[in-house]
């Protein structure tokens, strides 16, 4: 039989180890996106600096998408076109089950207006989704 104090110590150690693992994984993910942004001669921001959430919410093709949050934003300007590639987190579902979903997507802004939202296929890895989303916006020009 295990004593309650030993059980608590084991749970605490496992919790701390998992927290450290999550922090390291987040740091690796961000560094990968920063390197990708530098490769594209763009900038990285961990949050929604340009209040894109409202624009994304109205362009999402999912009915009942709500509580849209933009994270891991890569942005830049090229020949007068502002490009945004990001991960959009949103709640989907209207009546019964509501679930959080995410997609890597891109938008462009020109003096004429905003483009349609382009979402990358979810079957790809996260970095490949970012590459796909940027390549779609660059071929639209």
């Amino acid at each position: 039989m295990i004593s309650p104090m030993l059980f608590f110590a084991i749970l605490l150690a496992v919790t701390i180890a998992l927290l450290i693992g999550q922090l390291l994984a987040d740091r690796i993910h961000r560094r990968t996106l920063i390197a990708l942004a530098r490769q594209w001669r763009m900038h990285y921001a961990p949050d929604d600096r340009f209040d894109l959430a409202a624009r994304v919410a109205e362009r999402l093709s999912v009915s009942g998408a709500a509580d849209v949050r933009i994270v891991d934003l890569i942005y830049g300007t090229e020949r007068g076109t502002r490009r945004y590639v990001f991960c959009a987190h949103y709640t989907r579902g209207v009546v019964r089950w509501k679930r959080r979903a995410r997609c890597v997507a891109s938008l462009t802004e020109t003096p004429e207006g905003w483009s349609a939202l382009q979402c990358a296929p979810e079957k790809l890895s996260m970095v490949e989704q970012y590459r796909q989303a940027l390549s779609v916006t660059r071929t639209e020009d």
Side-chain angles (χ1 to χ4, degrees), residues 4-111:
M5 196 57 129
L6 180 60
F7 181 69
F8 174 72
I10 291 170
L11 282 179
L12 185 63
V14 168
T15 301
I16 290 171
L18 289 173
L19 176 66
I20 291 170
Q22 183 65 45
L23 291 173
L24 288 174
D26 288 346
R27 177 177 247 172
I28 291 169
H29 175 73
R30 283 199 174 139
R31 285 191 178 182
T32 303
L33 291 179
I34 289 169
L36 202 56
R38 286 183 182 153
Q39 178 185 347
W40 294 338
R41 293 187 179 106
M42 296 174 81
H43 307 283
Y44 170 80
D47 55 1
D48 186 7
R49 302 220 163 144
F50 304 105
D51 294 324
L52 296 173
R55 298 202 186 278
V56 171
E58 64 191 23
R59 287 173 172 75
L60 275 171
S61 61
V62 178
S63 63
D67 191 25
V68 177
R69 295 181 191 217
I70 304 299
V71 296
D72 296 330
L73 173 65
I74 296 177
Y75 62 95
T77 303
E78 182 179 300
R79 296 188 307 265
T81 300
R82 292 188 189 116
R83 298 183 194 286
Y84 306 98
V85 182
F86 49 85
C87 186
H89 294 255
Y90 57 94
T91 302
R92 65 187 302 172
V94 179
V95 180
R96 289 191 179 201
W97 306 106
K98 294 178 176 63
R99 294 200 171 123
R100 291 296 283 174
R102 70 178 182 187
C103 68
V104 174
S106 62
L107 274 176
T108 57
E109 179 185 10
T110 62

